[in-house]
Amino acid sequence: MSDPIVTFDEAAVRGELKELVRQTVEDTLSALLEEEADDLVGADRYERTAEREAYRAGHYERGLTTTSGQVTLRMPKLKGMRFATAIIERYKRRETSVEEAMIEMYLAGVSTRRIEDVSEILWGSSVSAATVSNLNDKAFEAVEEWRSRPLTCGYPYVFVDGIYLKRAWGGSFENVAVMVAIGVNDDGYREVIGAAEGFTESAECWREFLSWLRARGLAGVRMFTGDKAAAMTGAIAEVFPGAAYQRCTVHFYRNVLSKVPKSKRSRVAAMLKAIHAQESLDASMEKAAAVAASLDEIRLAAAAKCVREGAAETLTYTRFPMRHWRRIRTNNAIERLNREIRRRTRVVGTFPDGKSALMLVTARLKYVADSEWGSRRYLDVSLLDE
């Protein structure tokens, strides 16, 4: 005869353990509140002393959502002074970690309804839409403060680009452009120095964006790197007349290859890269002329024209230290951020207005900038002084 099999209800055991932890948290916090009240009063219960500053006046119950579940605290009431606890902030109903988690969810593109559902699952009690809205306002205030901060050092290199998102407008949907700027500061580290809304990447939008950067303190710019856009280049020449302009080589390649049949793109791409593999401006210009001639020979006149007309503006970087060339001749530094923005905003779909789009984009930029991205030295800027 076999031994009887011992079984147990795993779900019930887990429930009991969870309740035990929750009760322990509740008892511990209540005990700490009692000790804090005694310290404020300056005497034990019913004790008469010259140091007594207040008297006990009972308790009231107050809920607090913790990561261990919903707990009910016995909050001491005092007569003669207000009981202001340092353990739990006045009027606070949730742990800071819970609030921060909800803000992170919203900034990551999670809808208000989903935040309510997730909070119910994770913390045992649902948050109201008003609470989520208040948290959003709190988050947006911090994000806006960061977005508008003064720029207090020099930025010899600045990368600019625009990203398009969908927004609702008068019952229809249209694109909204968020213009982004990254600067390499005097110490060689990258910073996100600007993000602003623009209905289109027009000359007026770029002029306003660059003027806003200048008003916040952007100075010491030696070169801007960006895509080929007459509106952008014209605004740069107007607002920062002393700065050079570098057309992103990757965008240049894409423009030329768009005029090349797929069967020949690999060959032509290698030819284009050879232009920027040279060791001087003169050598690069000679190579560009040779590439254009080769393109004419294989009957790619449109591509050859692009090379002849556009190669020079992709070689501005050759005026600067050679060790900087690889990183300042493309917009790759900002393209990585744009991919992160698109990944995070894709779950939102269409934004209700331009402000929400700008705030979410800026929040993601701030998150990335505060990570390892902004803590690694990007360039040795001291080479500019040699």
Side-chain angles (χ1 to χ4, degrees), residues 157 233 254 369:
Y157 298 121
T233 55
R254 291 173 185 168

Side-chain angles (χ1 to χ4, degrees), residues 280-302:
S280 68
L281 174 61
D282 291 340
S284 292
M285 290 300 296
E286 289 179 10
K287 189 64 176 179
V291 168
S294 297
L295 292 173
D296 278 330
E297 290 176 2
I298 57 177
R299 299 182 181 181
L300 295 174

Side-chain angles (χ1 to χ4, degrees), residues 26-51:
E26 182 176 278
D27 293 343
T28 301
L29 288 176
S30 293
L32 290 172
L33 291 170
E34 288 295 330
E35 291 182 12
E36 194 172 25
D38 288 341
D39 290 339
L40 289 173
V41 169
D44 293 334
R45 292 187 181 184
Y46 311 115
E47 181 184 4
R48 296 181 181 275
T49 68
E51 292 78 18

Side-chain angles (χ1 to χ4, degrees), residues 222-239:
R222 302 198 187 189
M223 188 177 78
F224 284 90
T225 300
D227 190 11
K228 169 68 173 178
M232 178 195 296
T233 55
I236 290 173
E238 180 178 340
V239 182

Side-chain angles (χ1 to χ4, degrees), residues 342-360:
R342 290 189 181 94
R343 184 176 71 85
R344 287 299 190 178
T345 57
R346 191 176 297 118
V347 296
V348 178
T350 302
F351 288 88
D353 52 53
K355 179 184 176 183
S356 60
L358 175 61
M359 285 296 99
L360 183 54

